[in-house]
Amino acid sequence: MSGSPNRPIGRRTFVAGTLAAAGSAALVGPLAGSASAAGFGWSDDGSNYVVDTGAGLVFKVGKANGDLTSLVHRGTEYQGYGGKNSHIESGLGTSTVTIAQSGSTILISVTHGTLKHYYAARSGENNVYLWTDKADSSVSATRYIVRVRAGLFLNDEPDSYTYAPTTIEASDVFQKSDGQTRSKHYSKLRVMDYAYLGWSTGSVGLWIVRSNHEKASGGPFYRSLLRHQSADGGGLYEILYYGENQTEPERYGLQGPYVIAFTDGGAPSSSLYPGTLTTPWADGLGISGYVPASGRGRVAGVGIAGRNRAYAYTVGLANSAAQYWGSARSSDGYFSVAGVLPGTYTLTVHKGELAVYSTSVTVSAGTTTTLDTITVPSTNDPGNATAIWRIGDWNGTPGGFKNADLMTYAHPSDVRAASWTGNVVIGSGTETSAFPCYLWKDVNSGLLVYFRLTAAQAAASHTLRIGVTTAYANGRPQVVVNDTWTSSVPSPPTQPSTRSLTVGSYRGNNHTYTYSIPASAWRTDTGQYNVLKINVVSGSGTTGFLSAGTSVDALDLLA
């Protein structure tokens, strides 16, 4: 993708951003069922249940294990690479698999221990609808992967390429001969940024349309592996739970539907998108954990006051059982989050990706919980504080800092990255673009920031704030002023314990470190620069880009 959601992977590829409702789990608008198409039905070939949708799509599900063993569209087999099927995780193994038809719907049910998985087909549609119900941790099921044969779509070695010649980290980050890096982790997209992904030749498209992620974890800003291509073929993922840089425990319950969709080369129908897709035809199929639209509620807010209109605002709902989100309207902050399971949720308002307000809200089936205008207190937004100088924006991301955009789809060692070292001068006009988005103990610890103070400013103590978005191996900033005053080592906040900065994600738990710097630390000569040194400290981590590190949101010296 070269950092762009629209980089060609087939002759043409589409990775769509969604409308606000697409992430909100709204179940609105009908999905028209079709009359029974010629050829629609199912058969048993001894090893597989064979389903013909009557629209040019024939797929097979293994009777022994529930794997998708064949995916034939208009006579071409798309399923499989490396001798592997498409399936939950790496395959469930021995399972109980049954099939039933109800009018124009065929449902295949797979039971493996406490886990239940479903494939559904509708007459006349080139779609396979999937649900996965993981009841507990006894069965590993964190993804569904559609494995696509090599040679059907152009492989131009996108950012998620997994067959580059040199392995540079673990067994999943690679480097090409030109110095560019590749990994299945590199997608650039947050969950809220896409509705579907896949490949197109221009005349045929194969896509996976994600579910509403109500039982996933990590919220709207979470990034995970989405697809990859290698010399052997390609994979499209629906991530049910992903542990890399994860901020929340795993949620259990039914996830779906998510959809494998074939098209004539264009994007999948918007009627399949999360937040738009309705499945009234599935209401009576007996899918474990299924809750119809009538069993869900909605949260609507009149508006949000106290916003900084230079930023997008997102409203999230979360409890231990489910998560949802929706965008606030730019004009007045109105929001609506529909399709919500009944329960009590923490409602959080995010400025960019920074939480600036939270409250509790209760949702009931079949009703709308309407909230009066929410007012974000001025003090809740750190960007409202008066500062002598500020680097970056308080928005919960490292956006604008050096290499920030690249790091969502490349390794820090990538040849395209600007030098991670170099000092910063306040007043230069390049403060933010010169400041590296990430700081590591073994790479660029000791970064210097130069700034001048007036006589009045130098006569007073000031508070320095450094906001971070995540940390690896408990990396945290300790500061030194003019080589005469050194802060204590701050305690590490709770952050994910896995890799983050090297696998395309800065999303952890936003945290602000504050340092009270006495007036005695400043230089009294107003013609001289004061020098702030930022060190990264931790007793954990290894070396290089896997040494202790942190991602920076913003830093400022308050007046």
Side-chain angles (χ1 to χ4, degrees), residues 482-504:
N482 294 324
D483 288 328
T484 60
W485 181 89
T486 302
S487 73
S488 61
V489 176
S491 299
T494 299
Q495 297 289 8
S497 59
T498 63
R499 288 178 297 165
S500 53
L501 308 180
T502 60
V503 290

Side-chain angles (χ1 to χ4, degrees), residues 88 105-108 110 115-121 128-134 144 211 240 253-259 277-279 281-283 285 287-291:
I88 286 288
T105 301
I106 295 171
L107 182 71
I108 296 176
V110 181
L115 182 137
K116 298 181 185 298
H117 180 69
Y118 304 90
Y119 302 87
V128 183
Y129 299 85
L130 302 95
W131 289 264
T132 304
D133 181 21
K134 183 178 180 182
Y144 190 93
S211 69
L240 308 176
L254 184 69
Q255 300 212 55
Y258 47 104
V259 186
L277 174 61
T278 61
T279 56
W281 46 267
D283 289 359
L285 295 181
I287 294 173
S288 175
Y290 182 92
V291 179

Side-chain angles (χ1 to χ4, degrees), residues 454-501:
T454 66
Q457 291 167 342
S461 62
H462 297 285
T463 296
L464 173 74
R465 303 186 300 182
I466 300 178
V468 302
T469 70
T470 195
Y472 176 69
N474 285 333
R476 53 208 188 271
Q478 182 185 37
V479 300
V480 180
V481 177
N482 294 324
D483 288 328
T484 60
W485 181 89
T486 302
S487 73
S488 61
V489 176
S491 299
T494 299
Q495 297 289 8
S497 59
T498 63
R499 288 178 297 165
S500 53
L501 308 180

